[in-house]
Structure formats: structure tokens, C-alpha cells
Amino acid sequence: MIDRPYFIAFLLGFITILGCSENKKENREQALWKFNKEIPIDSISPIGIVAQGDFLWLSDVDNNRVVKIDLDGKILEEYSGFQRPMHIAIQDSKIYIPEYTSDTLSILENGTITTYPLKEIPDAIAGVAVEGSKVAIADFYNHRVILQQGESITIIGKEGHNDGELYYPTDVAFSNNLIYVADAYNDRVQVFDLDGKYVKMIGWNEGIKVATGIKVTETQVIVVDFEGNRVLVYDKNGRLIQTLDDNFNQPTDVEVKDNKMYILNYSTGVISFYENDEKKD
Amino acid sequence: MKKTRIRYSNNRERKNIFKHTVLLVLTFFLFFAMSSVNAQTDAQTDTQTDAHEFSYAKIEVNGLACPFCAYGLEKKLKEIDGVESVEIDVEEGLAFLSMNSNQKVTREDLEKIVTNAGFTPGAIDFSDKTFNPKDDR
């Protein structure tokens, strides 16, 4: 006959062990990115990347151009004359290109460049996100994100280091009616709703040194640690599930498409290519 | 008698013609000399204007660690009235400017801009000759 206290202790221990096993299993399911190879992109100083079919678009900030490359790194198309193009975005066949020096947002589509009419004047657009009619830009020197939807403007964040405050944001992403912000010089990611209300913070505990780029998939939040030479993979709850650190050199941005991850390295002009065979995003 | 009068008349005319010719030549040379001096003065002035049409500055900047930083500083410096061009050397932490000397850009102007851009300005050097970003460290 087992005494009741010992039985309860055994039951609690069993439940605890069972819970840890489930977490480890979930971690194993999520931590699936494996380094494949480096793709050289000679003569390109990359800041932003988006995928389009079997091709990649890159912003080349040092050379004031946007280029289309194949998956071997060969330049197929080139568009010059931009004024320091930074983190870019794609929707359908349109490439959205923020011009850091001129405070403008350009759209490249089928070889034609137009200007997106911004309702609020920024000071150095570091990144852009587009979803339907919503456009969000990272307004670097104003320490805020401008969300524009038609004629409606929502200002998100202000200069500072507290919850909901930003310090030189460099990238933005939409997911499930939330806006994820690479809060670069606060070394973290912050999440807001579409009304600009602060929701949560990700990455404050991992010693990120300049959170420069961000990519949000259905299940993961991927953060580029520029000076830490790492890429951190979180689940949507903000739990770290994988750290990638394979020979990066000032990584600036990340793109994920069809179980493939592309990470830009600004200093070396190389794309670090990862694959995920077990989880489709 | 008539011959004598005629000879007198010819001599006077010759003297007048000679006098007028000398005056004309002297006047010509005077104008020529004056125009030469003016041309030389203008040339000197033009040369002086060309030499001082642009002035140059080199700024040591602490904290240039990323392209957002470097190109942000470039943006702020370009917004100064009188700044014609900006080149940033991220590795060496230097900014090279060319400026129109008709619009005075002061050391204080540059320090303020660098500080407002989020960086700490170091030494600022001015010159009438261009700094060579590749050689000047």
C-alpha cells in the first residue's frame, strides 16, 4: 500500500517529466534549420532580401541599386539610381524599396519604378512591410513605425528604451494582425497591434547586439543579430528554439521561402543558405 | 613765293599728320596695355575664385559601426546648406566633405550635425585642398 504523500509526489514527478518531454519534442520539431552552403554575391553590399519564385531580390546599399539574382548568386537584372536602398518588401510582382537618403518609398514592378505616396514624412526609412493595403515603414531617426492604410495613419512607438518605445528601428513585418519591429539599438524585437498598442517583446534575454532584420513566418520569428553575428529563431510565443551562427559576418536580413532560408552577410557579400526538410513555412 | 608758301603748308601738314599719328599710336598702345592689365587681373581673380570655390573638411567620427549609421550620417551632412558632397569611410571612422565656400560651414555646425546624428565627433580639419579619402588617415 503506497502512502498518499509519496503517491502525490510520484504523480507530480511523472507529470513534470511528461511535460519536459513534450517541450523537447516540440523543440526538436521547430529546430530544423540546417546550414547548406554559402552563395557568393560579389560586388553586392546587401541590406535587404526578398524571394520571388526561383529568384532573389537584393538591395545593394553601397552601390545605390536593387538587383535580381538567381540561386547561384548571378545578377540577372539591375536597377540603379536609388538613394541608399535599405530593407525591401514584396507583394505580388511589386518590390517596395525604401530610400534612406531621400525619405521616399519606391515601387519596382516589371522594370518600371513609381513612388508610393507617403502621408507622413519620415526621416530615414530603414525598412518596409506590405500586407494588402497596409504599408508599415521603420522611421529610423524618428524612432517610430508609420503604419499607412489608405488615408489612415497610425504612429507606433516613440524614442526610448521602455516597453513600447523604440530606438532606431530598422525593419518591420506583418503577421496575424500584428506588427513586428526590429528595434535595432534596443537589441530586441517588439510587437504591436494595428492600433499601435504594445503587445510583447522578443529577444531581450539573448544578448542581441543590434537587431537589424526580421522575418515572421506562420510559426517562427527570425531575428538577425548584426554585431553578434547570429540569427535567432523563436517560436511565436517568443521562446528561443534555435541559434544559427555559421560563419556570419555582419548579417543584415533574412528571407524564408519554401523551407529555405537566405541570410545576408553585409561585410563578406555572401548569402548563407539553410534548409528545413521537416517543417513547411 | 608760291613755292615757298606751298612748302610751308606741306611741312605743317606733315607735322600735324605725324603728331596725330603719334597720338593715335600712343592711344592704341594705352588701350591695349589697359586691356591686358584688366585681362590679367580678371584671370587672377578667376583663378582665385576657382581655388576657393570649394573648401574641404575631414571629420573623425566615433561610433560608425553599421551601414545604417554610416549612411544616416551621410544623409545628415548632406542636408547642411553649402555641403556639395559627402564620403564616409566606415572602417576608419572618417567623413570627407566638399563645401561651397560662399556659404560658411563652421566647425560648430559640423559638430552639432554629427552629434544629432547619434555619434561623437572627433577632430575636424579644414583645407582648401581636397582630402584624399584613400590616403588621408
Side-chain angles (χ1 to χ4, degrees):
Chain A
M1 190 73 172
I2 301 176
D3 290 338
R4 183 177 293 179
Y6 288 115
F7 175 76
I8 293 172
F10 172 78
L11 194 62
L12 287 173
F14 179 77
I15 292 171
T16 302
I17 291 170
L18 191 65
C20 289
S21 297
E22 287 298 318
N23 284 340
K24 284 182 182 175
K25 183 181 176 185
E26 186 178 348
N27 287 344
R28 283 198 296 273
E29 285 177 347
Q30 299 256 24
L32 297 172
W33 294 107
K34 293 183 180 61
F35 176 74
N36 182 294
K37 64 177 179 179
E38 286 185 346
I39 302 171
I41 44 172
D42 299 332
S43 76
I44 300 174
S45 301
I47 294 290
I49 180 172
V50 293
Q52 185 182 46
D54 293 327
F55 307 104
L56 300 171
W57 289 90
L58 309 179
S59 60
D60 180 356
V61 68
D62 288 0
N63 297 302
N64 286 314
R65 62 178 180 169
V66 170
V67 297
K68 178 180 179 180
I69 64 171
D70 63 18
L71 298 182
D72 293 321
K74 179 185 174 185
I75 296 176
L76 305 174
E77 296 177 29
E78 175 181 344
Y79 299 89
S80 299
F82 295 102
Q83 296 191 50
R84 304 304 180 200
M86 294 295 186
H87 284 122
I88 55 179
I90 187 169
Q91 178 163 268
D92 301 324
S93 59
K94 295 180 179 178
I95 313 294
Y96 290 75
I97 304 161
E99 297 188 59
Y100 198 64
T101 303
S102 61
D103 298 331
T104 53
L105 180 60
S106 297
I107 302 173
L108 170 62
E109 183 178 23
N110 296 325
T112 300
I113 297 171
T114 56
T115 300
Y116 181 87
L118 293 171
K119 302 298 181 187
E120 181 77 13
I121 298 174
D123 187 359
I125 310 175
V128 62
V130 182
E131 184 178 80
S133 62
K134 299 191 295 293
V135 172
I137 60 173
D139 187 355
F140 188 79
Y141 275 114
N142 286 324
H143 309 282
R144 63 182 184 173
V145 169
I146 302 173
L147 171 60
Q148 181 168 325
Q149 190 168 356
E151 296 297 315
S152 164
I153 293 289
T154 303
I155 303 298
I156 300 173
K158 64 177 182 178
E159 181 179 356
H161 311 287
N162 297 317
D163 295 358
E165 296 176 345
L166 303 171
Y167 201 57
Y168 299 108
T170 54
D171 203 5
V172 283
F174 286 111
S175 181
N176 296 332
N177 291 319
L178 295 173
I179 297 177
Y180 291 73
V181 183
D183 189 5
Y185 285 89
N186 274 332
D187 304 326
R188 63 192 181 187
V189 166
Q190 292 204 82
V191 187
F192 301 85
D193 66 19
L194 297 183
D195 294 323
K197 182 182 173 185
Y198 168 77
V199 172
K200 64 182 175 186
M201 194 181 300
I202 296 175
W204 79 96
N205 211 28
E206 276 74 53
I208 294 174
K209 298 173 187 174
V210 187
T212 305
I214 188 168
K215 174 71 180 182
V216 183
T217 69
E218 289 179 10
T219 58
Q220 295 179 347
V221 179
I222 304 167
V223 183
V224 179
D225 180 352
F226 180 78
E227 291 187 9
N229 289 319
R230 304 179 299 171
V231 171
L232 304 169
V233 183
Y234 297 87
D235 67 14
K236 285 297 197 62
N237 294 320
R239 185 177 56 190
L240 180 67
I241 55 178
Q242 189 178 10
T243 299
L244 311 177
D245 56 5
D246 298 278
N247 202 33
F248 298 142
N249 201 325
Q250 294 190 321
T252 51
D253 202 7
V254 56
E255 171 66 297
V256 173
K257 187 175 174 63
D258 298 332
N259 294 340
K260 296 178 173 59
M261 180 190 292
Y262 305 91
I263 298 167
L264 296 181
N265 292 274
Y266 174 74
S267 285
T268 49
V270 157
I271 297 176
S272 302
F273 173 51
Y274 287 74
E275 285 187 301
N276 184 333
D277 292 329
E278 297 184 39
K279 196 165 184 61
K280 191 171 181 63
D281 289 313
Chain B
M1 301 277 279
K2 286 185 181 177
K3 287 183 180 178
T4 303
R5 196 175 295 142
I6 290 172
R7 277 200 300 271
Y8 176 77
S9 173
N10 285 341
N11 282 338
R12 179 172 287 180
E13 284 180 1
R14 284 199 201 98
K15 285 182 182 175
N16 284 337
I17 291 171
F18 178 74
K19 189 191 303 182
H20 290 144
T21 303
V22 168
L23 283 174
L24 194 63
V25 170
L26 283 176
T27 303
F28 173 78
F29 276 114
L30 183 64
F31 275 114
F32 179 78
M34 284 177 63
S35 64
S36 295
V37 168
N38 285 337
Q40 188 178 12
T41 303
D42 288 342
Q44 284 177 342
T45 302
D46 288 341
T47 302
Q48 288 169 351
T49 300
D50 286 340
H52 294 87
E53 184 174 355
F54 293 103
S55 57
Y56 305 89
K58 181 180 73 172
I59 310 171
E60 290 181 1
V61 182
N62 297 319
L64 283 178
C66 73
F68 296 99
C69 312
Y71 292 122
L73 180 60
E74 176 192 65
K75 180 181 193 287
K76 294 301 176 184
L77 289 171
K78 278 185 172 179
E79 290 171 356
I80 303 174
D81 284 338
V83 171
E84 298 286 337
S85 69
V86 176
E87 184 173 339
I88 305 290
D89 186 328
V90 177
E91 287 185 16
E92 298 294 332
L94 294 170
F96 298 91
L97 282 68
S98 65
M99 301 170 290
N100 189 328
S101 60
N102 289 334
Q103 289 181 287
K104 192 80 173 167
V105 180
T106 67
R107 184 181 303 273
E108 289 71 29
D109 292 334
L110 297 178
E111 286 176 347
K112 184 179 178 183
I113 291 295
V114 171
T115 302
N116 287 344
F119 305 102
T120 304
I124 299 177
D125 297 319
F126 291 94
S127 173
D128 285 339
K129 299 177 184 178
T130 179
F131 292 99
N132 187 334
K134 304 294 182 189
D135 298 331
D136 237 323
R137 297 288 180 262

